[in-house]
Amino acid sequence: MKTLISAPALNVDSVYSFIQKQVDFGPRVPNSQAHKAAGEWFEEKFRSYGAKVYLQEFEEYTYSGIKIELKNIIASFNPEKKKRLLLAAHWDTRPFADSDPEDKKAPLDGANDGASGVGVLLEVARIIGSVQNPDVGIDIILFDGEDWGDAGEDFGRMKGDKDSWWCLGSQYWSKKTHIPNYTAYYGVLLDMVGAKDATFYYDGVSQENAGRILTQVWDIANELGHQKYFKQESVLQNGLIDDHVYVNKYARIPMIDIMDYRKAQNSFFPGHHTTQDNMEGISKATLQAVGETLLTVIFNE
């Protein structure tokens, strides 16, 4: 492996504050006031860092027939650069804590599942905009409508042009990119990247579509000393649904997923889709590992 160029330092307190800000809005469930306010704040932050911001506003239906207003938020840096990297996370929260042992209809903060990935990407945007600019174009997409999904109930055929009730924003963007014929050298998706004792494995979709990038990113993480988090082993070879599925399938951009999965329990992080997904479960050490790895990847292109 070639000698790594040092990236600008990540301010993990900044990442943490970005996550806290999102949680303070309340659950970012589509059609809610908290969702609307958070979306406007993201737009303002990206513009304050000098990004060209694109909005994709569209309507969709949930599995139970509710019409929801969704918005993908795209922030572009160095638009003149032909070589581009695509970074993504989802910004909405699941409308019900259906994995909670006590109240399966309760709202949830989504501190890890949604806000953590967005927090890291906002810090990347802050660094690019005010500290140091990389030699490549960077496009950050905050996908909406990832986490409503279904609740294990069958409500018949899907309405519209959908593969799944999950990942509505990435399905929409991947078929109607914000710029016609948009492409990127590769993409990195962040999902659930802030929990204590997180572990990130190779998943089948990433291996099949972007195996070289997957190996490169995990190698960099290990070179930086983050092997506690980035495990060079394979899990979830079949059946994983996340936003990178549709970016690979329809936008034809090789995208990997950095996503917390607990191999021993064969499940996601312990607070997944419960009321325990709050700030108490967020670890600055995990955020440091992910953010430092991502910045090093960017500044070595």
Side-chain angles (χ1 to χ4, degrees):
M1 186 174 177
K2 70 176 184 178
T3 302
L4 292 176
I5 298 167
S6 294
L10 180 92
N11 184 335
V12 75
D13 291 332
S14 174
V15 180
Y16 190 88
S17 72
F18 288 144
I19 299 170
Q20 182 70 67
K21 177 71 173 180
Q22 292 171 78
V23 169
D24 289 345
F25 281 116
R28 282 82 61 211
V29 177
N31 290 358
S32 70
Q33 183 56 39
H35 181 269
K36 182 175 185 292
E40 291 171 353
W41 181 72
F42 296 139
E43 295 170 41
E44 185 276 324
K45 292 304 286 184
F46 283 135
R47 289 194 176 100
S48 75
Y49 298 141
K52 181 175 177 58
V53 176
Y54 301 84
L55 304 176
Q56 283 190 323
E57 297 179 282
F58 59 104
E59 296 178 343
E60 258 298 357
Y61 286 90
T62 70
Y63 72 96
S64 56
I66 298 170
K67 185 165 77 171
I68 51 176
E69 306 286 333
L70 299 176
K71 178 165 63 176
N72 291 329
I73 302 167
I74 302 102
S76 291
F77 294 88
N78 302 335
E80 76 286 354
K81 300 280 189 185
K82 288 204 176 346
K83 184 176 182 180
R84 312 201 63 76
L85 304 187
L86 175 63
L87 313 176
H90 76 88
W91 69 276
D92 61 306
T93 50
R94 188 152 174 78
F96 32 72
D98 54 326
S99 295
D100 197 271
E102 295 180 7
D103 188 352
K104 297 187 182 302
K105 294 184 179 179
L108 59 155
D109 290 343
N112 191 37
D113 194 1
S116 65
V118 173
V120 171
L121 295 184
L122 286 169
E123 172 65 1
V124 169
R126 185 193 70 80
I127 288 170
I128 293 172
S130 60
V131 179
Q132 185 178 340
N133 212 329
D135 292 331
V136 290
I138 301 292
D139 299 299
I140 295 173
I141 300 187
L142 305 187
F143 289 124
D144 202 356
E146 190 266 1
D147 221 356
W148 198 304
D150 58 53
E153 302 168 76
D154 183 6
F155 283 81
R157 288 175 62 87
M158 293 181 194
K159 295 181 177 71
D161 181 23
K162 287 197 290 290
D163 289 19
S164 172
W165 296 115
W166 304 88
C167 304
L168 299 177
S170 56
Q171 289 188 68
Y172 184 91
W173 178 85
S174 296
K175 297 171 184 176
K176 304 179 184 72
T177 53
H178 62 289
I179 295 173
N181 302 313
Y182 170 86
T183 192
Y185 186 51
Y186 61 84
V188 179
L189 174 66
L190 305 181
D191 194 3
M192 303 178 287
V193 294
K196 295 170 183 172
D197 302 317
T199 47
F200 310 113
Y201 291 91
Y202 300 153
D203 73 274
V205 174
S206 299
Q207 284 185 297
E208 181 180 348
N209 293 280
R212 184 181 62 81
I213 304 305
L214 190 66
T215 301
Q216 173 188 324
V217 172
W218 261 246
D219 282 349
I220 286 173
N222 279 254
E223 183 81 7
L224 293 170
H226 301 315
Q227 56 269 24
K228 171 187 172 183
Y229 304 98
F230 287 81
K231 306 293 188 181
Q232 294 176 298
E233 303 174 44
S234 300
V235 297
L236 293 172
Q237 293 308 296
N238 298 296
L240 174 64
I241 298 176
D242 208 350
D243 288 318
H244 69 316
V245 170
Y246 304 104
V247 174
N248 280 297
K249 182 176 180 179
Y250 293 116
R252 301 291 184 183
I253 295 168
M255 175 174 264
I256 66 167
D257 194 1
I258 300 177
M259 178 193 66
D260 187 359
Y261 188 79
R262 309 301 169 97
K263 188 176 181 182
Q265 292 78 37
N266 194 30
S267 64
F268 299 112
F269 74 102
H272 184 245
H273 291 175
T274 76
T275 56
Q276 296 306 302
D277 185 5
N278 54 37
M279 292 304 293
E280 289 183 16
I282 295 297
S283 162
K284 289 185 179 180
T286 305
L287 295 171
Q288 181 73 39
V290 174
E292 187 175 279
T293 297
L294 186 59
L295 284 168
T296 305
V297 169
I298 292 168
F299 281 87
N300 278 271
E301 285 296 344

